[in-house]
Amino acid sequence: MEKYKRALADTENLRQRTQKLVEEAKLYGIQGFCKDLLEVADILEKATQSVPKEEVTEDNPHLKNLYEGLVMTEVQIQKVFTKHGLLRLDPLGAKFDPYEHEALFHTPVEGREPGTVALVNKVGYKLHGRTLRPALVGVVKEA
């Protein structure tokens, strides 16, 4: 009877572990695909930031249409990311967190508290609460 109970318990533990692994695979199975798409989102953001705002006028309809198309594409890709549990981390002014941020440099900044993020070089992303890509940041140090 004791062997039977142990075998039953082992079978139940195996079933639960397998079920947990399947659920994690469903959640994080898109991780590699998401990482690849992050580069596309970064390029779209750089493209929209590189356009001088004073050039986007009715006098220049081709640039205006191109710029609006880039902005709409960028907004749509962020919506798709959010729909699938991929959240953007833009930590400017936040306390440095080594689990979400990667410090590229330390710099003294007047009027800022040491240990906070002074500059965001590249935004980070989280997939269902797990850091997919840490934000690349510059951190304030004491003067």
Side-chain angles (χ1 to χ4, degrees), residues 20-139:
K20 184 179 178 190
L21 286 173
V22 167
E23 288 172 5
E24 284 184 358
K26 285 179 185 176
L27 273 181
Y28 301 110
I30 61 170
Q31 188 168 334
F33 182 64
C34 287
K35 272 188 174 180
D36 292 341
L37 279 181
L38 294 182
E39 297 304 318
V40 174
D42 290 340
I43 292 168
L44 277 172
E45 184 179 1
K46 285 203 187 304
T48 56
Q49 288 174 351
S50 69
V51 176
K53 302 296 183 256
E54 62 273 1
E55 294 291 325
V56 181
T57 62
E58 295 296 330
D59 298 336
N60 198 347
H62 298 298
L63 179 63
K64 183 177 185 238
N65 290 339
L66 179 64
Y67 177 76
E68 288 173 355
L70 285 173
V71 169
M72 287 190 295
T73 306
E74 187 179 3
V75 168
Q76 189 61 35
I77 200 167
Q78 290 300 326
K79 283 181 185 177
V80 170
F81 285 172
T82 303
K83 177 182 171 187
H84 292 283
L86 188 62
L87 300 177
R88 182 183 166 106
L89 300 174
D90 194 357
L92 188 62
K95 193 84 174 145
F96 177 76
D97 180 359
Y99 296 107
E100 295 182 355
H101 311 138
E102 184 177 325
L104 298 176
F105 59 90
H106 293 275
T107 183
V109 177
E110 293 283 329
R112 291 260 181 104
E113 182 182 333
T116 58
V117 175
L119 176 85
V120 178
N121 193 4
K122 194 181 245 188
V123 295
Y125 286 89
K126 276 186 155 186
L127 179 63
H128 298 291
R130 182 187 289 179
T131 302
L132 187 61
R133 181 179 78 188
L136 304 179
V137 299
V139 182

